[in-house]
Amino acid sequence: MARSLTGKVALVTGASSGIGWELGRQLAAEGCKVALVARRVEQLAELAAVIARAGGSAEAVPADVGDRAQVEAAFAATKAKFGPVDLVIANAGIGRATLRDPVNMTDVEETFRINLMGTVYALSAALPEMLARKSGHLVAVSSLAGYTGLPSESAYCASKAAVNVYLDGLRRHLRGTGVLVTTLCPGFVKTPMTEKNEHPMPQVMTAEYAARRMIRAIRAGKKVYNFPWLLTRLVKLSGWAPDAVVNWMMGDYDALAQKSIAERRNEPGS
Ligand SMILES: NC(=O)c1ccc[n+]([C@@H]2O[C@H](COP(=O)([O-])OP(=O)(O)OC[C@H]3O[C@@H](n4cnc5c(N)ncnc54)[C@H](OP(=O)(O)O)[C@@H]3O)[C@@H](O)[C@H]2O)c1
């Protein structure tokens, strides 16, 4: 049976843009009190204002999820404002290409620090209180990319595979404690992360639509939620496909990866 989220305290990481922004907005519209976590303070404040104008309740709580102390401080600030957290959505993530030669090691390290450790820090910070209260819901936004390794996406795919397996273990470990665990694996979503992608993005979804499906899966208490279903099948089948076919589908991935990294280096502030 679907659970009501009304009145729950939710903490969403990566709430300053894309999927996280929509999750924060829609959870507030459902009656959650929402802590909005990310590094860019102005964007978080803007979303908090959007939510307040719509009659909801939200607080901007700036933090770098790759820094455990900052994540724990964000939970303490949320508790002080709204009370203990009932629902955590570890959504913050980065998508950086992995180059072939030389490997862009700093990007690889950042990918694991934010996508994997950022998730582990956020879920772990919530856990002691949830276990004491025998209730709560831990959620991570992973990706269908976690089911296979794609050329020029090795670090991203591996970070999401690690998230999937970590959450499988955590879910089994928490069985019977009253704390639920849900892994969300979307396909392509139109957000700042994907706006410069030049390869095809089959079945691409809006962030508004993806967040709506995610919240429905959370309310239903799903263990693992992969969507959309056709892309899920294709990604899982690609594990058996010849490498040449997968490479052909990805296009001239190495040139695109070089280009995306060069563009990022030219962005102001980078
Ligand atoms: N878009 C897709 O097609 C797609 C598909 C599958 C899965 N996903 C996953 O969905 C999640 C959200 O991605 P998105 O597409 O919405 O991307 P996005 O628009 O680029 O948003 C990423 C969010 O993560 C935050 N973030 C990044 N590094 C952070 C850090 N160190 N500390 C705190 N927050 C940090 C960003 O905020 P700040 O920069 O302000 O810190 C931003 O709010 C990611 O985990 C991504 O891997 C996306």
Side-chain angles (χ1 to χ4, degrees):
M1 197 184 66
R3 296 163 186 77
S4 166
L5 295 172
T6 310
K8 302 281 185 204
V9 176
L11 184 148
V12 180
T13 72
S16 61
S17 90
I19 296 169
W21 174 290
E22 270 302 319
L23 286 169
R25 195 184 65 77
Q26 292 184 31
L27 286 171
E30 294 231 2
C32 289
K33 291 171 262 184
V34 190
L36 308 166
V37 177
R39 293 164 302 180
R40 286 170 296 168
V41 185
E42 306 79 48
Q43 281 83 348
L44 294 179
E46 192 187 329
L47 176 55
V50 167
I51 289 171
R53 278 197 298 277
S57 187
E59 181 81 357
V61 186
D64 180 338
V65 298
D67 180 326
R68 182 153 60 99
Q70 287 191 38
V71 174
E72 287 169 0
F75 275 84
T78 304
K79 187 177 175 189
K81 173 77 184 172
F82 292 133
V85 173
D86 301 295
L87 168 67
V88 183
I89 308 184
N91 158 79
I94 58 169
R96 291 190 187 159
T98 311
L99 297 182
R100 186 162 50 194
D101 182 27
V103 172
N104 45 332
M105 206 55 84
T106 308
D107 287 330
V108 171
E109 287 165 355
E110 276 288 280
T111 300
F112 280 96
R113 185 176 72 86
I114 296 169
N115 294 7
L116 174 61
M117 294 316 298
T119 298
V120 173
Y121 293 152
L123 302 187
S124 306
L127 199 47
E129 191 111 35
M130 287 184 176
L131 285 171
R133 296 163 67 218
K134 297 187 174 49
S135 84
H137 201 152
L138 303 174
V139 179
V141 178
S142 183
S143 171
L144 290 182
Y147 292 113
T148 194
L150 295 168
S152 88
E153 301 284 349
S154 306
Y156 181 76
C157 294
S159 72
K160 294 300 188 180
V163 168
N164 289 352
V165 174
Y166 189 91
L167 263 79
D168 280 345
L170 185 62
R171 187 185 71 244
R172 291 170 177 142
H173 206 174
L174 292 177
R175 191 175 148 75
T177 64
V179 181
L180 295 177
V181 176
T182 297
T183 313
L184 301 168
C185 294
F188 294 109
V189 184
K190 213 164 181 272
T191 69
M193 183 184 280
T194 52
E195 68 187 357
K196 289 188 181 152
N197 280 0
E198 293 183 29
H199 59 73
M201 296 198 289
Q203 293 197 286
V204 66
M205 302 170 272
T206 63
E208 193 277 337
Y209 175 75
R212 195 149 23 96
R213 288 191 64 167
M214 289 176 177
I215 290 172
R216 211 184 305 150
I218 291 167
R219 271 204 256 100
K222 298 262 188 214
K223 293 177 182 171
V224 178
Y225 183 56
N226 303 312
F227 70 105
W229 73 267
L230 185 56
L231 190 61
T232 303
R233 299 294 179 284
L234 281 174
V235 169
K236 292 199 169 179
L237 273 174
S238 75
W240 284 277
D243 290 347
V245 172
V246 178
N247 286 4
W248 172 76
M249 284 167 67
M250 288 291 286
D252 189 358
Y253 47 86
D254 215 47
L256 292 176
Q258 294 275 8
K259 190 170 158 222
S260 82
I261 285 177
E263 280 172 358
R264 184 159 47 78
R265 288 199 182 118
N266 288 333
E267 279 168 9
S270 56

